[in-house]
Amino acid sequence: METPPNLPPGWAAQWDSTHQRHLFIESATGRSQWEHPAQFPAAPVAPIDAQPQGQPQPAGTSGKRRQYATGQTQAYYGTPDTSGAQYADAAYAAGQPAQAGGQLFTPGLLAEQGGFQAQQQAPYYAPQEGYANGQYPQQPDPAAPAHQVNQMTNQFAQMGMGQKPFQFQTVNLLSMQPDPRDLHRPPPEIRLPPNATVSPSPSANADPSYKRSTINAVPTTSSLLNKSKVPFALIITPHRTLKEGDEAVPVVSDTVIARCRRCRTYINPYVQFIDGGNRWKCCMCSMSNEVPQLFDWDQARNAPGDRWARAELNHSVVEFIAPTEYMVRPPQPPVYAFLIDVSHAAVQSGMVATATRTILESLDRIPNEDNRTKIAIIAFDVALYFFSLAPGQTETSMLVVSDLDDVFLPKPTDLLVNLTESRGAIEALLGRISDMFQDSHTVGSAMGPALQAGFKMIQSIGGKLMVLSASLPTLGAGALKSREDPKILGTSKESSLLQAASPFYKTFAIECSRAQVSVDMFLFASGYTDIASLSCLPHYTSGQTYFYPAFNAARSEDALKFAHEFGTVLSSPICFEAVMRVRASKGLRMSEFHGNFFVRSTDLLAMPSVPVDQSYAIEVQIEETITAPFVVLQTATLHTTAFGERRIRVVNLALPTTSSMSELYSSVDEVALATLLANKAVERTISHKLEDARDAITNKLIDIMTTYKGSMTAAGSGASSQLAISDNMKMLPLLCLGLLKHVGIRQSAQIPSDLRAYAEALLTTLPSQLLVPFIHPTFYSLHNMPPEAGTVGEQGIILPPPLPLTSERLERHGLFLIEDGQTIFLWVGRDAVPQLVQDVFNLPSYDQLRGGKITLPLLDNPFSQRVNAIIAKTREMRRGPYWPHLYVVKEDGEAPLRLWALSGLIMDRAEQMPSYQQYLGQVRDKVNGSSY
């Protein structure tokens, strides 16, 4: 990590590992910028405690006082609130003349927002010397508008509207270019009152990768929330991958679990100890509870322990090892039943050989620490093939069941076997399955009966059904027919193709959920495979769907992608037989649930498995006025670990309350909000129409911006030539446009329903870290990237600065990378010089280059090594099992591939969809046209 150059007073530098550079933060305002403040200072800001000229500072006040809503200060600090004059900007008292003009500002707030000119974004990155045709926007003069702002706001100071309770900025979207790096900034700060926690631990509140809220300041009344039009929801990823450098979740192993007697909340950093520390007061319902006798006892040392060192009082995310009262049966072992399609299409594509080889190579990676893991293998085409895997044997016998109407298990034992005891037989079988069915010419799939057989085999224990299918199910229960009709694609009837065609898959899924059986689908069909129906199984059993269209293992890229993803899923330390519940402070209630699970009761989510890095969205309702200065939302997941331990993972998030609309808007987390909108849009495509889903996204954006204009800007309910939003929401319109243009939702008559259904399955399960690039791809220029890009820095490979998603940045002689977390495109301009093509692709000229799926060669030159390093970093930097394919796209190459790559540049106009500027114009017209 580089040491930042000397900083002006009042500035701090924070290292951003994603972009390998410093983010500069102004301490007084919390405002941040990429550019060094000595070179690009922020607009002058009036400090929160600035005094009118000539007036002394009242005794007992501090210049570094926390900034909370006026009127709540007394509740937070226990001191009388100061007068509005004490917080007025000194410039107000100067009596500067007002200036006419259409500048936006926020009534009742100080002038630190600096007008739109000051709030325009810095350049996308500092100009680099010596790069080909590098054209960058020029930095506006940040100091120039300060005088204008003070003049314009002077009249409001005279009206007693000069208080500044919260750092707040309004931007005009029409006069600024979105900076992609803003999507990687942390969410708005959660400003809890002093002494909210019993511990000063910095990890007392949840990291956004575990739980984040659409608003980081909760309104005290439902009317204020409804008026703002911002939905209140939690985005939860309870079980996420731990990357290198991540802190492990602390484990409370003494089985001393303190819970509230009334609301059953687990003790956490936000409770209060009373009665000399013998009792604790619940932060949810205020109930007084006894502290357990062994709470202050260190069982490992058999000596008195330090209460304040306990993990549950210092960390927002903890795991309790559950005692026996949390079990209705002993913890289940990991169970994997593989259902493998062996029809002609599956064998010929190489799927069977690749799948069996991957399972064989993953046997040592499948969770099996206590040697209890069980394995079963069923093959199917028009019949079911069971394999007897006797312990200690290397020979296996195959049993064929042709009766698909009344599925039964042909043998009571040796079908579901212990992995350790029957390792020899399992390895022998996996090495032979592909050869056994090599000459099969059978066409047809009895997937439904195979699912029933697998369920019968593991229902008494629970576990995973891993289905690998290369054709549409055509026989027995759950048989489907091809229903894709090109005539209805792009019409109002298209949503019918996104609904399940057979009730079997939902009813069977609910039956599986009840028996703690989860289903993962790996689908390979070269033709229509009805993902909309088949994905019901993972949806209701907390599994996941994976899709490999036109899979052909003869292409090494296809085999590598599937083997990597399948192997990662097999080796994941998933949790079994789980239930999840979210508890919240008095006045809050969980109202709507989105994600892969089954809602067993009003708020209990049944999850037969908890996959790593799967996300869930839960909407929150305010039922009564909240009087507390902050609220707590606690997620508890009771589960069995992959190594046979019953545990409770608790994730705590505390948020301050507010009665201020400006504070509410300035706390909005636009990434969490976009994640919620994606979930709701997908559900609407299935329950209503695709068009309704698209309208709902834009209407929600218009509602928010209309209310914002009416209550937060000088324009009020009148027409305005500008489009105002708070600085922390400035990327929300672009994220909404990305959703509208996403393959899962966009208007088009060219998108096969399988691709659409799979994209929707991803939109509802990806954590925010993966969802953001999925709807807002990353765009790099490689031919003129900075010299450090692609080299190793303190935090790993340094990535180039991302570009705005517009084809205006494409150059005919250039090399560009566009990626969305699922696919990577290398765009090669038609005038690319031969040396560039030689250095990257080892070909003499552009004409020799072929577009399509490739494995990029690693050549003996620095540029090739840097490009390969960037691609490798792109593939591994995010959580999840996905391994993106790499495509070479020639500027004058095949039209479908070219259009697919360009669809990632969402700021451009495409088909019937508007460009970003056109979209903003449409939104502005709607905002002006509707009365507030």
Side-chain angles (χ1 to χ4, degrees), residues 556-629:
S556 60
E557 293 84 10
D558 283 10
L560 177 63
K561 175 181 172 66
F562 166 55
H564 179 276
E565 295 181 357
F566 189 36
T568 303
V569 171
L570 287 177
S571 61
S572 294
I574 60 172
C575 307
F576 295 93
E577 49 181 352
V579 288
M580 184 168 82
R581 174 174 272 140
V582 180
R583 295 178 175 87
S585 296
K586 185 181 178 183
L588 300 179
R589 181 177 67 84
M590 305 303 118
S591 58
E592 299 286 337
F593 305 89
H594 311 279
N596 284 9
F597 46 70
F598 181 68
V599 184
R600 189 179 292 174
S601 63
T602 53
D603 64 343
L604 188 68
L605 310 181
M607 299 193 279
S609 73
V610 186
V612 177
D613 298 314
Q614 192 167 103
S615 184
Y616 313 94
I618 300 178
E619 295 183 63
V620 187
Q621 193 172 320
I622 300 175
E623 290 195 309
E624 56 187 80
T625 301
I626 301 170
T627 56

Side-chain angles (χ1 to χ4, degrees), residues 325-556:
E325 55 260 36
Y326 287 82
M327 310 177 198
V328 293
R329 61 176 184 176
Q332 73 166 71
V335 175
Y336 299 87
F338 298 99
L339 313 183
I340 304 174
D341 180 357
V342 291
S343 64
H344 178 71
V347 174
Q348 291 305 306
S349 69
M351 181 274 281
V352 176
T354 309
T356 51
R357 186 176 67 249
T358 303
I359 298 171
L360 182 61
E361 293 172 352
S362 300
L363 289 179
D364 287 328
R365 298 164 60 207
I366 291 176
N368 189 28
E369 288 187 24
D370 52 1
N371 294 325
R372 297 195 308 151
T373 301
K374 294 181 180 292
I375 298 284
I377 298 173
I378 301 174
F380 66 91
D381 48 25
V382 296
L384 306 182
Y385 306 95
F386 297 84
F387 300 94
S388 177
L389 305 164
Q393 303 290 320
T394 55
E395 292 298 318
T396 60
S397 57
M398 183 171 75
L399 306 128
V400 183
V401 173
S402 300
D403 184 357
L404 304 179
D405 295 325
D406 186 16
V407 175
F408 63 93
L409 302 181
K411 196 178 180 189
T413 59
D414 297 341
L415 299 179
L416 179 65
V417 296
N418 182 282
L419 172 58
T420 304
E421 295 171 1
S422 300
R423 180 69 176 259
I426 293 170
E427 290 180 349
L429 175 62
L430 290 171
R432 288 174 44 220
I433 284 184
S434 182
D435 295 333
M436 291 166 63
F437 298 96
Q438 188 63 48
D439 298 325
S440 169
H441 294 284
T442 308
V443 176
S445 169
M447 181 198 290
L451 284 164
Q452 292 173 327
F455 177 74
K456 282 179 181 287
M457 201 177 287
I458 70 173
Q459 64 176 338
S460 62
I461 306 172
K464 273 274 188 192
L465 292 177
M466 315 281 280
V467 183
L468 300 106
S469 171
S471 51
L472 187 70
T474 54
L475 299 167
L480 299 170
K481 295 179 180 177
S482 179
R483 56 185 174 131
E484 187 164 60
D485 183 356
K487 294 177 184 174
I488 68 172
L489 295 181
T491 70
S492 60
K493 295 181 180 179
E494 185 177 4
S495 59
S496 64
L497 299 178
L498 302 175
Q499 300 162 359
S502 167
F504 166 79
Y505 292 97
K506 182 174 181 180
T507 55
F508 180 72
I510 294 170
E511 196 177 346
C512 285
S513 178
R514 199 173 292 122
Q516 305 295 350
V517 174
S518 175
V519 184
D520 279 351
M521 305 291 290
F522 294 83
L523 305 172
F524 302 84
S526 56
Y528 179 70
T529 189
D530 203 346
I531 289 177
S533 296
L534 299 182
S535 62
C536 277
L537 287 169
H539 179 73
Y540 291 107
T541 64
S542 63
Q544 184 61 284
T545 303
Y546 300 89
F547 184 39
Y548 306 90
F551 178 83
N552 182 0
R555 283 195 302 264
S556 60

Side-chain angles (χ1 to χ4, degrees), residues 861-888:
N861 69 76
F863 190 67
S864 170
Q865 292 161 7
R866 290 168 65 200
V867 171
N868 272 278
I870 290 167
I871 291 170
K873 171 80 170 180
T874 300
R875 280 176 163 153
E876 64 84 28
M877 68 180 175
R878 301 188 185 105
R879 300 182 173 94
Y882 303 102
W883 179 265
H885 270 315
L886 175 64
Y887 289 86
V888 167

Side-chain angles (χ1 to χ4, degrees), residues 253-254 297-305:
S253 57
D254 58 10
W297 187 259
D298 188 331
Q299 297 184 21
R301 296 188 299 114
N302 199 26

